[in-house]
Amino acid sequence: MGSGFPVKGAQLLYKLANEQLMIQSMVREFSRKVVAQTAAERDKTKAFPKSNLKKMGELGLMGMMVPPEYGGQDADTISYVLALSEIAYSCASTAVVMSVQNSIVCESINRFGTRDQKEKYLPPLASGEVIGAFALTEPEAGSDPVGQSTTAVRDGEGYVLNGDKRFITSGQSSGTVIVTAKTDESKHHKGISAFVVTKGTPGFKVGNVEDKLGLRASDTTDLIFEDCRVPSENRLGAEGDGFKIAMTCLDCGRIGIAAQSIGVAQAAFDAAIKYIKNRKQFGQSISKFQGIRWKIADMATDIEAARQLMFLAASMKDRGEKFTTQASMAKLFASEMVNRITASALQLHGGYGFIKDYPVERFYRDARVFTIYEGTSEIQRVVISNNILKDKRVPQG
């Protein structure tokens, strides 16, 4: 990105097409000129990047993999992760909204929705007119989605939803929310269904808005359902498909987390390079010291390794291959990598890294959640080992 070496490496391994490189270049310019300008201020004020997201919708970034007949760009996953990384480079808060919109919300509706549902929900999502959210996590059900307590009870021509969802990205700012709920307790994970619920539906309200360490311009909230009536045509997929929908689209989401991690890591790395070249101690630039140079070599290698894992998972998805293990590997490695990189970048800044005048302080805070959301590092290790050992008895949420 900023230094140029990762893109060259990617071309050698994946032979990025001209169209993919053009998308990356276009998004990079937009990200640096537009998104980056308000990132630090939004981090302070927690102001949702509504105007930037609208511009991103106009550029086709909010429904990149959605088919053209539903207002999308029909881009491949490689193009998508290149674009997402570029947005994350400037503002991780904006990138997480883009990621949920593309990887989970649009992906779920496009893969499992009826034609009527696609025609109704995808165009406004793809244009950025409407922001989407995915409500799976609950106060007592995070890594174990089967433990959720939200219910959807059949009532005439629809369902009545009751329950609380927690830590929902864009919960306050979204207009369309995919909600999972139990429709048959006795069937365990096969008794979970998914529903598309729009803001303004009676019985659906936003609860507590979290005050977070990082990603402060992206709202994270509770969503509360109290006798919320949803028509049958709003059910996504068949009754009992909710767990399958969540797990399938979380695979794509995990590639998105890897892309976000790489974008933030590259930004921190580039900031560190700039700083050490200009910082002088003992009569010379600190970039001349061997200890610093070895750290830079390790950081560069870490970022490139994560990038190649991300490209592998994305290319497997594009080829229609099963990519669950590779998505978890990319998410696991990249999310832990970005925490190492931002910590090292902050350390290289010395005392200046600890103050808000330098962006590495924000990068460090934003990176911390990447090992937690959309499946903790511990859950990724469960998924990876289960698929290697073919042991499906352990939950893989």
Side-chain angles (χ1 to χ4, degrees):
M1 291 183 180
S3 59
F5 74 88
V7 176
K8 291 179 182 177
Q11 289 182 62
L12 286 172
L13 183 56
Y14 284 100
K15 291 184 171 64
L16 293 179
N18 286 336
E19 183 179 353
Q20 293 168 333
L21 293 171
M22 286 173 62
I23 290 171
Q24 183 188 43
S25 178
M26 178 270 289
V27 180
R28 176 178 295 172
E29 182 178 8
F30 170 79
S31 176
R32 306 299 194 275
K33 289 185 177 179
V34 179
V35 177
Q37 301 310 308
T38 58
E41 183 63 24
R42 290 183 188 281
D43 177 67
K44 294 177 184 177
T45 63
K46 298 191 288 185
F48 189 73
K50 184 175 180 180
S51 60
N52 285 346
L53 291 167
K54 183 179 180 182
K55 293 174 185 175
M56 288 164 62
E58 293 169 355
L59 291 173
L61 302 181
M62 300 302 284
M64 288 190 69
M65 296 175 288
V66 171
E69 59 263 39
Y70 304 119
Q73 299 300 307
D74 201 25
D76 58 10
T77 313
I78 295 290
S79 296
Y80 165 60
V81 295
L82 287 170
L84 182 57
S85 291
E86 293 293 347
I87 297 297
Y89 185 98
S90 296
C91 180
S93 293
T94 303
V96 70
V97 178
M98 175 183 170
S99 182
V100 170
Q101 186 96 342
N102 280 276
S103 299
I104 303 182
V105 179
C106 288
E107 182 85 1
S108 296
I109 296 172
N110 188 46
R111 290 192 58 154
F112 297 97
T114 63
R115 184 169 185 82
D116 286 346
Q117 288 172 334
K118 294 176 185 179
E119 290 177 345
K120 180 177 181 180
Y121 297 113
L122 286 178
L125 287 166
S127 70
E129 176 188 342
V130 172
I131 300 300
F134 192 90
L136 173 68
T137 301
E138 297 186 3
E140 301 300 326
S143 296
D144 178 18
V146 179
Q148 66 185 285
S149 59
T150 298
T151 58
V153 178
R154 272 275 192 184
D155 184 40
E157 295 300 312
Y159 295 82
V160 177
L161 273 61
N162 280 283
D164 297 342
K165 296 294 183 177
R166 178 150 294 171
F167 300 143
I168 307 305
T169 299
S170 303
Q172 184 177 51
S173 302
S174 59
T176 298
V177 183
I178 297 174
V179 183
T180 60
K182 286 186 174 179
T183 45
D184 191 336
E185 180 93 31
S186 67
K187 292 183 179 179
H188 304 289
H189 70 282
K190 292 185 178 180
I192 298 172
S193 301
F195 302 87
V196 183
V197 187
T198 56
K199 285 287 179 65
T201 302
F204 173 25
K205 63 181 180 180
V206 176
N208 180 57
V209 180
E210 304 292 350
D211 187 12
K212 301 175 296 182
L213 173 72
L215 303 183
R216 292 174 61 79
S218 162
D219 57 273
T220 301
T221 74
D222 287 355
L223 295 180
I224 300 168
F225 300 88
E226 296 177 341
D227 294 329
C228 178
R229 187 174 297 275
V230 179
S232 296
E233 57 264 29
N234 282 40
R235 190 186 66 228
L236 192 61
E239 193 168 288
D241 279 352
F243 184 83
K244 178 178 71 174
I245 291 171
M247 294 304 101
T248 299
C249 294
L250 278 174
D251 284 345
C252 185
R254 286 164 181 168
I255 301 176
I257 301 300
Q260 294 170 65
S261 298
I262 290 161
V264 174
Q266 189 70 56
F269 179 80
D270 288 350
I273 293 293
K274 180 179 178 181
Y275 181 82
I276 66 171
K277 283 183 175 181
N278 293 321
R279 176 67 168 168
K280 289 183 170 53
Q281 292 285 276
F282 307 103
Q284 63 179 330
S285 165
I286 65 173
S287 65
K288 300 293 185 181
F289 299 129
Q290 187 180 65
I292 299 294
R293 297 173 81 92
W294 284 10
K295 184 181 286 289
I296 291 299
D298 288 343
M299 292 167 73
T301 303
D302 239 6
I303 296 171
E304 185 63 11
R307 196 185 312 274
Q308 299 306 332
L309 279 171
M310 175 190 72
F311 279 143
L312 174 61
S315 63
M316 290 178 70
K317 180 179 183 293
D318 284 337
R319 293 194 298 268
E321 300 171 8
K322 184 173 175 58
F323 62 97
T324 296
T325 301
Q326 287 71 26
S328 285
M329 286 179 172
K331 198 272 188 188
L332 171 64
F333 186 84
S335 64
E336 298 201 341
M337 172 277 296
V338 71
N339 278 276
R340 294 192 296 271
I341 297 298
T342 53
S344 292
L346 192 152
Q347 185 73 19
L348 287 169
H349 278 70
Y352 292 107
F354 199 66
I355 61 177
K356 292 184 180 293
D357 290 344
Y358 286 75
V360 289
E361 180 270 346
R362 170 166 54 90
F363 300 151
Y364 182 78
R365 287 185 290 106
D366 285 344
R368 188 60 193 89
V369 76
F370 292 145
T371 62
I372 298 172
Y373 67 176
E374 292 193 31
T376 62
S377 288
E378 291 73 22
I379 285 295
Q380 303 315 312
R381 291 183 171 97
V382 169
V383 173
I384 294 164
S385 60
N386 280 359
N387 279 288
I388 291 170
L389 300 171
K390 305 301 181 185
D391 183 356
K392 304 301 183 185
R393 293 173 295 175
V394 185
Q396 298 195 34

